Amino acid sequence: MATHVGFSGLTRRQVVLSMAGVMLALFLASLQQTVLSTAMPQIVADLQGFDRYTWVTTAYLMTSTVVVPVVGRLTDLYGRKWFYVFGVAIFLIGSALGGFSQTMTQLIVARAVQGIGGGVLIANAFVVIGDLFPPAERGKYQGLLGATFGISSVIGPTLGGLVTDQLSWHWLFYLSIPLGIPVVALMVALFPDIRPVPGKHRIDYLGVAALVLAVVPLLLALSWAGVQYPWDSAQVIGSLVFSGLMTVLFLVIESRAEEPIIPLTIFRNWTVSVSILATFLTGFGMFGGIIFIPLFFQAVLGASATSSGSFLTPMMLGIVVGSIIAGQAISRWGGHYRLQALAGLTIMGVGIYLLSRMSVNTSYGQAIINIVLM
């Protein structure tokens, strides 16, 4: 396929089908973050691994977290098409491994492989808009990607519970394969192979290594603490200290690298820094809810996997509705994003506090109200 600089040389058919492939890929990656939530109690019961309950999610997040900034930078240097194809292929391999898993360890490894592919897809999904559309049109197409993420988040928990009850949790992985193969075909055949201006680039290998050594021990420590090891154990404290040292080393490396993986200059913008911090904090609540709310409904209130998924749906709908309201408010009444951010964090904090007070005596109605607030 001919290489074009920018989007001006692309046909409408190529743009539409490329966008469809991007949306399908994002749907797959985001769906796997929520579809397993309602199936996890059954998975743990089948594979006998409650002590590693959170690891099925942590493994995915750990590898995808490391991959996102690295691949994002590499695609800036070498183009996105073949990274996208590679990402979908790795994701499908991880899905197949997950479906075949017979032990918790096998499942955790499969999820780590999935996370590598998912990280590649998420890293490129929103950036690709800049390759396909001119600046004046990018906003509405980014909205389509946001809607895709929202839809997958809404249907994921219910779909996960339904498939688990009617078939088996193994099928949650198998279903990704027939959906992913057409995405690979679309990407190979139609996605534009747009590359930056040729030149000699230097990959920041030291930065990549330091980033991995900072993120992985941190997530290991937070997953071990209070479950497999006490908070004051040598394993937890040692991992946290090592992660801290590697973080400092990463900052030193990035400040001196010619082409850093994460340019530290972006953090000089106060708005960017505060926004990243707010996103980091809200991630605690969102992923914590996705992981543990279905367990509460099934193990404490005695709900089935399917019904626990329907109870998690209001939280996802709240995210979608809140995003729409916030976006419309900013567009109509100007840039009062600071007030909206403060209001959002406050409401979420109240919701999380109410969730922390739930017990076996909590009614379904009260639990749903707390979830919607959060």
Side-chain angles (χ1 to χ4, degrees):
M1 182 179 296
T3 298
H4 303 290
V5 179
F7 44 80
S8 58
L10 306 181
T11 65
R12 179 173 179 79
R13 175 174 176 271
Q14 189 178 25
V15 170
V16 170
L17 292 178
S18 295
M19 186 65 184
V22 171
M23 292 174 67
L24 277 172
L26 180 63
F27 181 82
L28 284 175
S30 57
L31 187 67
Q32 278 297 325
Q33 293 182 354
T34 58
V35 74
L36 287 183
S37 58
T38 47
M40 277 306 300
Q42 185 61 51
I43 291 174
V44 169
D46 289 349
L47 302 183
Q48 301 297 312
F50 186 79
D51 60 323
R52 288 165 288 170
Y53 179 87
T54 60
W55 267 100
V56 177
T57 299
T58 300
Y60 185 97
L61 294 177
M62 184 162 55
T63 52
S64 62
T65 298
V66 172
V67 164
V68 166
V70 175
V71 171
R73 180 58 179 158
L74 292 177
T75 58
D76 286 343
L77 299 178
Y78 302 108
R80 308 187 209 289
K81 175 175 180 173
W82 296 109
F83 280 98
Y84 232 126
V85 173
F86 171 78
V88 177
I90 292 295
F91 186 85
L92 296 182
I93 291 171
S95 297
L97 293 174
F100 291 131
S101 297
Q102 299 298 315
T103 67
M104 280 293 284
T105 300
Q106 292 174 0
L107 181 60
I108 290 167
V109 171
R111 288 287 285 167
V113 174
Q114 264 194 328
I116 295 173
V120 175
L121 301 181
I122 293 171
N124 286 303
F126 290 90
V127 182
V128 162
I129 299 297
D131 294 338
L132 298 178
F133 303 101
E137 297 182 11
R138 289 173 189 167
K140 59 184 178 182
Y141 291 105
Q142 285 179 334
L144 281 178
L145 292 182
T148 301
F149 186 87
I151 290 170
S152 68
S153 299
V154 169
I155 70 173
T158 302
L159 177 65
L162 185 63
V163 171
T164 300
D165 284 343
Q166 301 302 320
L167 296 172
S168 164
W169 60 264
H170 295 275
W171 281 95
L172 297 176
F173 294 96
Y174 294 146
L175 289 174
S176 295
I177 298 173
L179 292 174
I181 291 175
V183 177
V184 174
L186 276 174
M187 292 293 178
V188 172
L190 295 169
F191 196 82
D193 193 8
I194 299 172
R195 298 171 184 262
V197 177
K200 188 175 181 180
H201 299 288
R202 301 189 63 174
I203 299 175
D204 182 17
Y205 292 108
L206 288 177
V208 172
L211 179 64
V212 172
L213 293 175
V215 171
V216 173
L218 174 64
L219 293 178
L220 284 174
L222 295 178
S223 298
W224 285 338
V227 180
Q228 291 174 275
Y229 304 105
W231 275 96
D232 58 355
S233 66
Q235 291 88 342
V236 173
I237 294 176
S239 296
L240 290 175
V241 170
F242 184 76
S243 174
L245 293 174
M246 289 301 102
T247 299
V248 173
L249 179 62
F250 174 73
L251 295 175
V252 172
I253 293 171
E254 295 303 275
S255 66
R256 298 178 179 180
E258 291 185 20
E259 296 186 71
I261 291 294
I262 301 178
L264 300 182
T265 52
I266 64 174
F267 298 105
R268 294 175 184 171
N269 185 314
W270 184 245
T271 302
V272 172
S273 297
V274 173
S275 298
I276 290 173
L277 176 62
T279 303
F280 176 76
L281 294 175
T282 55
F284 275 98
M286 188 181 80
F287 286 106
I290 290 172
I291 295 170
F292 289 108
I293 286 172
L295 180 63
F296 175 82
F297 277 110
Q298 292 180 48
V300 179
L301 300 186
S304 66
T306 302
S307 61
S308 71
S310 65
F311 290 129
L312 190 58
T313 298
M315 184 183 91
M316 298 306 179
L317 285 174
I319 293 173
V320 174
V321 172
S323 299
I324 293 172
I325 292 174
Q328 289 295 319
I330 288 177
S331 297
R332 293 174 184 271
W333 301 314
H336 300 296
Y337 51 83
R338 182 183 302 176
L339 294 177
Q340 288 201 34
L342 290 172
L345 288 170
T346 301
I347 295 170
M348 189 174 192
V350 171
I352 291 174
Y353 171 76
L354 293 174
L355 286 175
S356 73
R357 308 298 296 174
M358 294 196 305
S359 67
V360 69
N361 298 317
T362 302
S363 66
Y364 282 104
Q366 185 59 55
I368 291 173
I369 290 172
N370 298 346
I371 292 167
V372 170
L373 276 175
M374 197 272 287

